[in-house]
Amino acid sequence: MEPGLLAIIGLFVGGALNVIVDRSPPHDYVDGVTAQGARPRSIKYWEWLPLISAFGAIRQSRVPYANQWSRYLLVELSTAALFGLAWYRISDPTWLFAAWLVLIAVLIALAFIDFETTFLPDVLVLPVLTIGLLTSFFIPGREWWQGLAGAAAGYAVFYPFAWVGDRLNRPIMGWGDVKLSAALGAILGVAPLLLGLYVGVLIGGFVAIFVYIARLFGFNRVLIPYGPYLVAGGIVSMLYFRIIADWITTQL
């Protein structure tokens, strides 16, 4: 399979991911209904198609909460780009390569869900954790315990922040972020997880500068949750850990 074909497949997968993002409940959902009583509208068959889906969103929003039509394009193009890039960066056996593509797809969905709703649903996070743990036993060149250790490390890193936030009743770190960090640890292992968290912090700090500037100009509602940064750092580490680790080694 050529990378171009994988990218095309990624476009269609991105169309399905948009449906998943649309149907992920924000905080005020109760049994599929928002506090205002609105339900997500039905999705026409052609709105599953890549690139065309954005036009349906322009005509009529597919979800009852604030949403931008550009998200549909971003999800589809991101999935296509990462699927094509994975062809060059992941050399594992076919079945394991397919598992990585599934994990990348779900991580993309989680990033956009968290961005729009500040919510990371267990129905997606926990399967990522499970798949990451199961596949970690079969990754060539990696010890069997790395997935377990990575999941434990990912959970332990952010657990204190979520615990303190609960006690102070302040949104320091959500439990969804803690579980997502554990899932990334299961996928990556300890060392790649730490690199991914570091990259995520760098990206988050860079974006925070622009958020601070936006607030100076009166855009007080600008808020970007931490999930997208976690996903971005995790995917960078998944694809480029060896290159970055080799570069660090040469600098020491």
Side-chain angles (χ1 to χ4, degrees):
M1 186 179 296
E2 296 296 328
L5 180 56
L6 263 181
I8 293 174
I9 292 174
L11 277 176
F12 284 89
V13 172
L17 293 180
N18 274 317
V19 176
I20 292 174
V21 176
D22 284 342
R23 290 302 181 259
S24 175
H27 289 306
D28 58 349
Y29 262 59
V30 179
D31 296 328
V33 181
T34 65
Q36 292 76 31
R39 290 181 181 272
R41 72 171 175 83
S42 60
I43 299 174
K44 306 295 190 299
Y45 70 91
W46 55 267
E47 290 184 282
W48 290 71
L49 300 177
L51 306 182
I52 299 176
S53 60
F55 292 101
I58 292 174
R59 293 174 57 190
Q60 182 183 1
S61 178
R62 284 161 45 163
V63 289
Y65 51 92
N67 189 29
Q68 299 294 330
W69 64 268
S70 57
R71 185 259 286 169
Y72 297 94
L73 295 177
L74 286 174
V75 170
E76 292 158 2
L77 294 176
S78 298
T79 309
L82 289 173
F83 272 34
L85 188 60
W87 171 266
Y88 296 103
R89 300 302 319 151
I90 300 176
S91 58
D92 291 329
T94 303
W95 71 270
L96 191 52
F97 179 75
W100 290 136
L101 293 183
V102 171
L103 290 170
I104 288 173
V106 179
L107 288 173
I108 291 172
L110 284 169
F112 282 93
I113 289 170
D114 198 27
F115 182 79
E116 289 191 354
T117 69
T118 66
F119 180 64
L120 289 167
D122 284 347
V123 70
L124 291 179
V125 176
L126 296 183
V128 170
L129 174 60
T130 302
I131 295 174
L133 286 173
L134 292 177
T135 56
S136 68
F137 292 100
F138 305 100
I139 297 177
R142 200 168 88 175
E143 297 292 339
W144 64 269
W145 50 266
Q146 279 287 323
L148 296 171
Y155 193 84
V157 166
F158 290 129
Y159 177 87
F161 298 100
W163 186 87
V164 171
D166 274 358
R167 297 303 179 276
L168 298 179
N169 198 26
R170 297 183 61 184
I172 298 175
M173 177 74 68
W175 289 105
D177 297 313
V178 177
K179 287 178 277 192
L180 177 58
S181 178
L184 288 173
I187 297 168
L188 301 172
V190 178
L193 168 69
L194 296 179
L195 174 63
L197 295 181
Y198 179 70
V199 172
V201 168
L202 288 181
I203 297 173
F206 184 75
V207 173
I209 295 175
F210 289 94
V211 171
Y212 178 75
I213 294 174
R215 288 177 177 174
L216 291 179
F217 287 92
F219 296 96
N220 295 323
R221 294 187 179 182
V222 176
L223 173 65
I224 300 180
Y226 196 61
Y229 309 137
L230 278 175
V231 169
I235 291 178
V236 167
S237 185
M238 182 189 298
L239 299 177
Y240 292 102
F241 171 73
R242 183 49 54 196
I243 291 177
I244 296 174
D246 290 343
W247 179 82
I248 294 175
T249 301
T250 59
Q251 303 303 311
L252 297 178

